[in-house]
Amino acid sequence: MASRVATIDSAVLSLESTTPPQWVGVVESNLREVLFDHAHCEKKAAAAATHLLVSYVDRPEIVRALTPIIKEELDHLELVMELLDQRGWRLKGQAPSAYGGRLGLLVSRTEPDRGIDRILVSALIEARSCERFTLLAEGLADRDLAAFYGRLLESEARHFASYLRVAECFAPLPIVKRRLAELAKEEARIIALPDPLPRLHSTPER
Ligand SMILES: [Fe+2]
Ligand SMILES: [Fe+2]
C-alpha cells in the first residue's frame, strides 16, 4: 500500500510555478550528487538564518523566530550526513546550482527593504524546497528515502511560515505580501532557467 504523503499546495507556499515531474527522475539518476547538494543546502540554510540573526540581534522578536530555524537546519544537516554515511558516501564540495546566487541579486541594498528581501528570499527557498521534497516523497522508488523527504517537507513549510512572520517585523502585512508576490514571480523565472547540474534547486534542460 502506498504511504500517504502530507502535501502542501504550491499556492499556500506562494510559489508561482510547479516543478516538472521528470525532475524526480533526474534526482534518481544522480542521487549521490543531489544528496551532497542537499547537505550543502541545509548548511547554507543554517548559515543564512544565522547571518540574519547576527544582523538583527538587537530585535528580540527576530532572534526568537530565527533560533529554532537555525537549530532545525543543523538537525537536517545531521540527518542528511547520516543518510550519506549509511550509503558509504563521504560529503565533498561541489558546484552549487545558480539558483541561490541569482535570487541573491534580487535583494535590495538599502534598509528596511534589504531586511524584508533577505527574509522573503529565504522564505521562497524554503517554499521551493518544500514543493520539491513533496515530489520526492511521492515519486521516489526508494520508499525509505521517500519517507525521509516526507518528514522533512513539513519543517520546511513551517520555516516558510516563520520567515513570513519575521518579515512582518519590518513592514505591515500588505507590503510584505506585495513584495512576496513580486519575488515569487522572479523565483519562478529563475528556477525555470535550464541548469545542467543535477541539484535540489535546478531544472534539467529539456
Ligand atoms: Fe532544512
Ligand atoms: Fe528550512
Side-chain angles (χ1 to χ4, degrees):
M1 191 173 74
S3 57
R4 284 192 55 204
V5 171
T7 54
I8 295 152
D9 198 82
S10 292
V12 174
L13 295 167
S14 301
L15 293 173
E16 290 285 336
S17 69
T18 51
T19 295
Q22 65 264 35
W23 175 77
V24 176
V26 174
V27 171
E28 288 183 315
S29 305
N30 301 275
L31 190 59
R32 188 168 73 161
E33 225 178 307
V34 174
L35 288 181
F36 280 7
D37 185 52
H38 187 171
H40 289 298
C41 284
E42 298 293 0
K43 171 196 73 182
K44 286 184 278 187
T50 305
H51 286 148
L52 277 167
L53 183 145
V54 169
S55 297
Y56 305 108
V57 74
D58 55 340
R59 302 184 62 174
E61 71 280 24
I62 295 179
V63 173
R64 264 198 305 276
L66 290 174
T67 304
I69 297 179
I70 295 165
K71 288 179 181 169
E72 279 198 340
E73 301 298 14
L74 290 175
D75 286 345
H76 293 172
L77 173 61
E78 198 176 3
L79 290 172
V80 181
M81 297 295 281
E82 275 171 25
L83 215 62
L84 294 175
D85 213 36
Q86 286 160 12
R87 286 169 166 75
W89 294 340
R90 192 182 172 87
L91 180 64
K92 53 181 185 169
Q94 62 182 17
S97 65
Y99 176 76
R102 286 172 172 154
L103 284 177
L105 296 175
L106 303 174
V107 173
S108 169
R109 289 173 176 268
T110 52
E111 295 287 4
D113 291 350
R114 180 170 177 76
I116 298 171
D117 284 357
R118 285 173 74 192
I119 290 156
L120 293 182
V121 162
S122 287
L124 287 167
I125 296 171
E126 296 288 347
R128 183 61 69 186
S129 302
C130 180
E131 188 241 2
R132 292 197 161 193
F133 288 0
T134 304
L135 281 184
L136 295 177
E138 289 170 342
L140 283 174
D142 179 336
R143 297 313 295 161
D144 288 339
L145 192 57
F148 173 79
Y149 280 104
R151 291 190 292 275
L152 279 197
L153 72 90
E154 291 177 30
S155 48
E156 305 307 4
R158 206 158 7 84
H159 295 168
F160 167 74
S162 298
Y163 275 122
L164 288 196
R165 281 194 296 277
V166 176
E168 283 186 76
C169 297
F170 289 84
L173 188 58
I175 292 175
V176 169
K177 281 188 164 173
R178 195 169 63 221
R179 184 59 179 153
L180 179 64
E182 287 170 3
L183 290 172
K185 280 197 177 63
E186 287 298 306
E187 190 275 345
R189 179 183 63 75
I190 287 168
I191 194 75
L193 293 173
D195 189 335
L197 298 173
R199 299 288 183 266
L200 275 184
H201 302 100
S202 68
T203 298
E205 298 187 65
R206 286 168 192 255

